[in-house]
Amino acid sequence: MNSTLRKTAYQLHLWLGLTSGLIVVIMAATGCILAFEKELKHAIHPEKYFVKTIRKEKLPFSVLKLNAEQALPDSLKVSRVEISSDPSGSYAFRSLKMNDEAFTYWGTYIYYYRVYVDPYTGKVLDVENAKNDFFEIVMDLHRRLLLGEKIGKTITGYSTLILAIMLVSGLVIWFPRKMNKKALKGMFLIKTSAKWKRVNYDIHNVLGFYAVVPLLLITFSALIWNFEGFDKWVKKTLNGKVKTEQKAKSTLPAKKFSDPKNILDLVGNRVEKSLTDKKSALISFPKTEEGTYYAEVTFGNKQYQNEQFNFDQYSGKILKHQFYNDKNIGYGTALRARNYDLHMGSIFGLSGRILYLFAGIIAASLPITGFIIYLNRKKKKPKKKKSKAVNFH
């Protein structure tokens, strides 16, 4: 391998690692905690995620929504509901308002509540102040370092970019100068019988290699979220000549429209019908006069595999109905829809999520083992030759 390329890669790897190491540790460690967030929540608090008695019929959506809103403080309104196809699952209504100009986590979330309602009785099972939720705090630490959208997201965004460069430069360093049997063994195996400094070096070198592919996929998907220009460029490049679809809009009625409660019930019944033999659904309520009821029905554990609806908020009419595998949406749009699953590893199923978890653990260890390697470096000083005394006698 070209020595100049190797030296450049080494310097990049070293100084970028020293610059962003702590942030990478934080993002990787929090990512590991969030890897199985839903499963952990269900195990820790089953009383709010599941109902005790399953009945024949559920109450109308409008009644459930009203019960959720009456349980909220300060007459707040709900903006979304999450539904499980599991008959024992509760409905989770969300009320959220954010301030993207804030500089801290507590300022970013003006309010954030989740209300869990029994769909059969309408009983409110729990009102959760999500700002105090452990996983929500960990999520914000992962995304913004608790420093708000402007500062925190910028830091994590560029730290992710640095991590991507480090992964590529690490691959260059990982490849040996000379390929032989001994070098080949050192590339893939940790020499556990060696001294601790060598073991630490092997842990950094070998485990870093094994984790590089999932970590590159994680960083790519994170860059899509963090850099809007990059997101648009990828989507536009892959979409090619495919036209960007226009957003569905509700038509303002000339006369008095139907009771909004009836419209919500109509929308809810249509989504419930579509939920048969699927995993879950969410319904987002209109935010503006031209806004729509947006529903997303997910087939299984992969979020991108879904069926999407836009309902007119005044008539309940379906304005747009689309499946995830629609061939007309373009490759860029399809890739963007898969971004969450790509980031979480669920795009590869349960095995992918487990693989990503181990990759995250390795990612959290790399800056630590790398820093230890840096501290243990010994600059080789040329040994001074002892001058022999010359006897002239």
Side-chain angles (χ1 to χ4, degrees):
M1 181 177 287
N2 187 295
S3 60
T4 305
L5 175 63
R6 189 181 184 86
K7 287 177 182 177
T8 304
Y10 177 79
Q11 291 299 320
L12 272 173
H13 197 77
L14 172 63
W15 296 110
L16 291 179
L18 291 173
T19 303
S20 65
L22 179 60
I23 298 168
V24 170
V25 170
I26 292 171
M27 290 195 298
T30 51
C32 290
I33 294 170
L34 296 168
F36 288 89
E37 176 189 357
K38 184 179 285 186
E39 289 82 357
L40 288 170
K41 280 184 171 182
H42 288 183
I44 297 168
H45 295 293
E47 71 281 356
K48 62 184 176 185
Y49 292 102
F50 303 99
V51 301
K52 292 180 180 179
T53 306
I54 300 172
R55 303 187 181 186
K56 287 185 178 180
E57 292 186 5
K58 294 179 180 180
L59 291 175
F61 259 72
S62 58
V63 174
L64 300 175
K65 179 176 179 282
L66 179 62
N67 289 2
E69 288 182 335
Q70 288 177 341
L72 288 169
D74 305 321
S75 301
L76 297 176
K77 301 296 181 182
V78 297
S79 56
R80 195 175 86 171
V81 60
E82 294 179 31
I83 310 161
S84 172
S85 62
D86 183 347
S88 66
S90 63
Y91 282 19
F93 289 88
R94 186 176 82 175
S95 182
L96 168 67
K97 187 176 182 180
M98 298 181 70
N99 176 17
D100 290 340
E101 302 297 318
F103 296 112
T104 66
Y105 167 75
W106 304 108
T108 298
Y109 289 91
I110 297 172
Y111 59 80
Y112 188 5
Y113 291 97
R114 285 191 284 256
V115 185
Y116 299 89
V117 180
D118 185 325
Y120 302 100
T121 65
K123 180 184 177 182
V124 174
L125 303 175
D126 189 52
V127 180
E128 176 185 88
N129 187 350
K131 280 177 68 170
N132 300 326
D133 177 48
F134 169 75
F135 287 102
E136 204 60 46
I137 294 170
V138 171
M139 175 69 80
D140 201 83
L141 186 60
H142 182 72
R143 289 178 174 175
R144 309 180 189 93
L145 302 175
L146 305 180
L147 296 175
E149 187 77 5
K150 281 191 172 181
I151 296 175
K153 189 178 178 182
T154 300
I155 294 172
T156 56
Y158 281 101
S159 295
T160 303
L161 179 60
I162 288 172
L163 176 59
I165 296 170
M166 288 174 61
L167 290 169
V168 176
S169 60
L171 267 179
V172 175
I173 300 167
W174 169 82
F175 201 85
R177 291 183 179 88
K178 293 182 180 179
M179 185 63 73
N180 52 45
K181 189 177 180 180
K182 185 179 179 181
L184 195 64
K185 192 176 180 181
M187 291 168 70
F188 301 103
L189 299 172
I190 298 171
K191 191 177 181 181
T192 54
S193 60
K195 292 182 179 180
W196 74 270
K197 289 181 182 179
R198 171 59 192 272
V199 172
N200 179 75
Y201 175 82
D202 281 356
I203 288 173
H204 185 84
N205 199 44
V206 176
L207 294 186
F209 166 74
Y210 286 126
V212 72
V213 172
L215 289 180
L216 281 172
L217 293 175
I218 291 169
T219 53
F220 171 79
S221 55
L223 290 174
I224 290 288
W225 280 325
N226 281 288
F227 296 101
E228 188 179 348
F230 180 62
D231 181 14
K232 288 181 178 178
W233 176 80
V234 171
K235 191 186 292 184
K236 187 177 179 181
T237 302
L238 294 178
N239 275 349
K241 296 180 180 180
V242 176
K243 292 182 180 180
T244 304
E245 290 191 28
Q246 298 296 318
K247 288 185 178 180
K249 294 181 180 180
S250 293
T251 304
L252 289 167
K255 299 178 182 179
K256 187 178 179 180
F257 65 97
S258 303
D259 187 340
K261 291 181 181 180
N262 294 334
I263 300 300
L264 178 56
D265 292 339
L266 190 154
V267 170
N269 291 336
R270 180 66 181 82
V271 172
E272 282 279 8
K273 186 179 178 182
S274 184
L275 192 56
T276 307
D277 299 327
K278 296 184 178 70
K279 181 76 175 180
S280 61
L282 65 83
I283 302 173
S284 295
F285 305 128
K287 296 178 182 178
T288 64
E289 288 185 335
E290 291 186 335
T292 65
Y293 285 102
Y294 172 74
E296 197 172 275
V297 184
T298 306
F299 292 11
N301 292 319
K302 297 177 184 179
Q303 188 175 311
Y304 78 90
Q305 293 181 340
N306 57 44
E307 183 181 7
Q308 301 162 31
F309 298 89
N310 286 92
F311 298 91
D312 188 297
Q313 66 170 298
Y314 303 108
S315 66
K317 180 183 177 182
I318 297 175
L319 301 175
K320 188 176 178 182
H321 180 208
Q322 185 171 281
F323 287 89
Y324 76 95
N325 52 2
D326 188 335
K327 294 179 180 179
N328 299 319
I329 62 175
Y331 293 115
T333 303
L335 177 62
R336 185 64 178 81
R338 288 158 173 75
N339 203 57
Y340 175 82
D341 294 289
L342 184 64
H343 191 73
M344 298 298 293
S346 52
I347 197 167
F348 305 112
L350 179 60
S351 57
R353 293 175 68 193
I354 295 170
L355 175 65
Y356 271 36
L357 175 62
F358 284 110
I361 294 169
I362 292 170
S365 74
L366 289 176
I368 299 169
T369 54
F371 188 63
I372 293 170
I373 292 169
Y374 171 73
L375 292 178
N376 288 328
R377 284 193 316 164
K378 288 184 178 180
K379 293 182 179 179
K380 295 181 180 180
K381 296 181 180 180
K383 294 180 180 179
K384 292 182 179 179
K385 292 182 179 180
K386 292 182 180 180
S387 56
K388 293 182 179 179
V390 181
N391 191 348
F392 293 99
H393 300 285

